[in-house]
Every structure is written in structure tokens, then in C-alpha cells.
Amino acid sequence: MQNIEFTLNGSQIEVSIDPRESLLHMLRNRLGVFGPKEGCGKGECGACTVLVEHNAVNACIFPAGKVDGLEVVTIEGLQQGEHLHPIQQAFIDTGAVQCGFCTPGMILSAKDLLDHHHKPSRQEIRRAISGNICRCTGYSKIIDAIEYASKDVSKS
Amino acid sequence: MVERYLKAGSLVEAMQFLNHYEGRARVVAGATDLWVGIKNHNTKAEAFVDITGVDELKTVEISKDYIRIGSGVTFHELEKNVQIQKNLRALQEAARWMGSPQIRRMATLGGNLVSAQPAADGMVAMSALDVAVEMVGPDGTKRRTLESCYKTFGESMIDSSREIVTAFVIPLHNQAHSYFGRFHLREANALPVINCAVGAWMKEDGSWESRYILAPLGYHPARLRAMEDALAGGLLEERELYDTIEKHIEELTFRTSLVRGSAEFRKQIAVQLMHEQIIRLWYNHEQEGESDAKH
């Protein structure tokens, strides 16, 4: 076991890890952060997506040891007090959530996109969430939500 | 039993870690291939040496004669880099289609070689670019050809317990052009049914050199040398070009794969893809007033 320190959703964390462990395993099983989901477990479905240094990555194949000294944001870190992040709010307002399993990953992939590109086209949105699989919605509402959120995010 | 996950801050420190463990440590870069395996299987390594924080591996340098791409440059960075877009189109196009947005944020060009997957998009593109691979190990620095870095399926000649790939050096040849094509069944995270890269440049004596690459056909991207010779005589009419490509690809052995499709289907896709990329390559030359270009 080995101790690492990193920033999780704005708080400094120290945790003991197995050097072979994934970031997803550490978040869910050691820290009780259940927003990132385990779907395929091999980087193909995007349900485990989190932000590391503001970039969307697959936590299931991201070595936990790699985040030592870095900043990690999960879906739990987006809400400011009682205010949902504009992307979260847009998902609600446009009906983009069905079972919800893919939603945290979708929202964080959208955040990566909107943080780097304030007015994406629908094609750019489709591409940005191409690493996130949803089996309920058919994607259209999700794309609507991100497009809708982009207006709020660009205003702020 | 893995004892430590070590993050190196410099190349010197990374080599010190590897030397300390005397072959019992393993280099980790983006980990997108490695960590799928590590989670499911035991590893003999006693430590991991993470090199993604090594700044000197993350640069793209351009000089008059070459581009030097650090092994730690991610596929996202490759896709967005202006110099790569301008000078190494095949690599930029390959980077665009590799994995998914999340994978492209993590995966590095060096890892794409070391994991030695036969149709790794980055290495298929690199095979069309006359690249030299630079690495550092116990005996100092050395350069190898890309093809010589492959050992067998999924295994490279690079000893990840003692060596680190540091960079890919691509000469900036006169009138160089390159393109990449890929056939796949969905937008992201789809194995290529076939991928293909082409490159051409003018040699010092004024003649042209070409590379035509297809994958997966064996344990590394396959260079179609016989077709290079056959097309060296100059531009052909489109039908004649198609027939020449078809004839050469017909002679190759494709495997039927549950994931990639039947051998016959893949062969037909290969002909089509190669034809499209060669047309791009030749047409581009013509556009620049080089209708006498020889390939």
C-alpha cells in the first residue's frame, strides 16, 4: 500500500492505495464517491468519466497513483451549494436523463467540451460524447441538453 | 507484488527509478492498454514508473529538417497541434480517430508503439512517414527504425523495465504529403476493420519515394513494398491505379475476425481505402503544380 495526496472536488485528500488500483476503484471503494460508475471496466463505455486536471478521462483504466498531486473532479463536485451546474440543470430541463447510469459521465464529458469550446456545433457535441454510451435516450436529448447548457456556460 | 507507483519528474529520475529496480519495474505512460491488463492479471513488476509528468517527453519541436515529437505527447495534443496538422497530416488524421475523446486525453504516442497492437492508429500513420524512434536505456540513447521495434503480436522490442521511448523523429522531406484512412463501425472506441496510411516525398535527386501502409495484416503495420515499386513509374489513369491496387492487395492474406469482419470483406475495404488515400496523395501533388510527380 502507498499513500497519495490529491485534490478531490476542491478538498485535499490523503488516501492509501494499492499501486495496481484504478482511480475508479479508489473513488468508489475507498472514498465512497459513487458518481462515477463502473460499466465496461475497460475504457469503452464512458460511465466512469471524471475530470483530471480539467480533462475528461476514463477512471476505470486510469491508475490511481497517477492522480498524486493532481486535481480530480467527479459529478459530486459540480454543484455549488444548492445550485446545480448549468450542464446538470440543462439535463433536467431538457429531459436528458432516463436511467441515469451514463449521466455523470455524459455531463463531465460535456464539461470538458464546454470548458474548452464555448459554442460547439451539434456535430462537435456528438463527437465530444462519442466515448460515452447511453442505452436509454437515443442521445438526442443529451445533445439538446449540452447545446442548451452551452448558452448558459458561454454567458457566465 | 507491486510495491510502489512512482511518478518521475524528469527523464533522469525515471531512469534512476528503473536502474534502482534492475528490471523489476515497468514504465507507465497513458496506461490505456496497460491498465486493462494490469487489473485482470498479475504482473511481475515490483514498481511502476509513471513518465507522464516528464516535460521533456511532451514537446513537439520543429526545425528546418525535422519534427521531433516527444513520446509523452497525447493523441488529443497531436490532433490539435498546428505543426502536425500542417506537416504530418496522416498522423493528425490518425489521432482524430484513435479511441475516444477520453482515451485521446490519456494515451500517448510512445505507448501506442510500446503496446505493439498491429493496427494502432498512430503507428500506422507513422509507418508512412520515414520515422526514427529515439529511446534511452542502460547503454545510453539510440535510434531504431519503427519496423524494428516490433517483436510479435502485442509485444514490442522495447524493454519497458529498462528502456524509455523518448521521441519520434520525422524528417521534413521536400514536398512531403501523407494521409490516413480508417474503416470502422462506430464513431469512437471501434477497432478498425482496416486502416491505411500513405506518404510520399521528393528525394534529393528529384525522384519520389512513397509508402503505402495497411493494417492489421500481421503483427505490425504492413508496408506494401511491391505496390510501391509498381506505382513508382508515375501517375496512372484512375482505373489503372485501381486495378494495380486491387492486384497487389488481392495477393495479401487477410484474416477473418469476429470483430473486424470476413477476410473477403476486409480485402474489399482495403482496396477502396487505399485507392481513396492514393488519390488524395496524387491529387494534392497535382494541385500544387506537380502533375509530373512520380511515385
Side-chain angles (χ1 to χ4, degrees), chain B residues 13 60 150 152 155 162 165 180 189 208 255 257 281 295:
Chain B
E13 188 178 34
V60 177
Y150 286 84
T152 183
E155 199 179 334
R162 298 179 192 275
V165 175
F180 175 88
N189 277 334
W208 287 83
R255 290 195 312 166
S257 150
L281 190 70
H295 297 268

Side-chain angles (χ1 to χ4, degrees), chain B residues 134-148:
Chain B
E134 206 174 85
M135 59 187 76
V136 60
D139 305 324
T141 59
K142 62 182 170 186
R143 281 191 182 187
R144 300 182 76 130
T145 63
L146 186 60
E147 214 170 85
S148 74

Side-chain angles (χ1 to χ4, degrees), chain A residues 20-87:
Chain A
R20 293 191 312 167
E21 191 166 352
S22 71
L23 173 58
L24 180 65
H25 185 274
M26 178 186 76
L27 289 170
R28 291 181 63 88
N29 298 356
R30 298 196 191 279
L31 300 172
V33 177
F34 297 116
K37 305 291 188 283
E38 178 146 26
C40 66
K42 49 186 182 180
E44 292 183 358
C45 74
C48 64
T49 302
V50 301
L51 301 178
V52 175
E53 299 290 287
H54 310 286
N55 296 324
V57 301
N58 298 118
C60 69
I61 53 169
F62 198 95
K66 218 184 240 299
V67 301
D68 193 17
L70 304 182
E71 183 183 354
V72 178
V73 173
T74 67
I75 192 71
E76 289 87 348
L78 291 197
Q79 188 170 339
Q80 299 289 317
E82 293 189 350
H83 297 286
L84 293 177
H85 187 278
I87 305 174

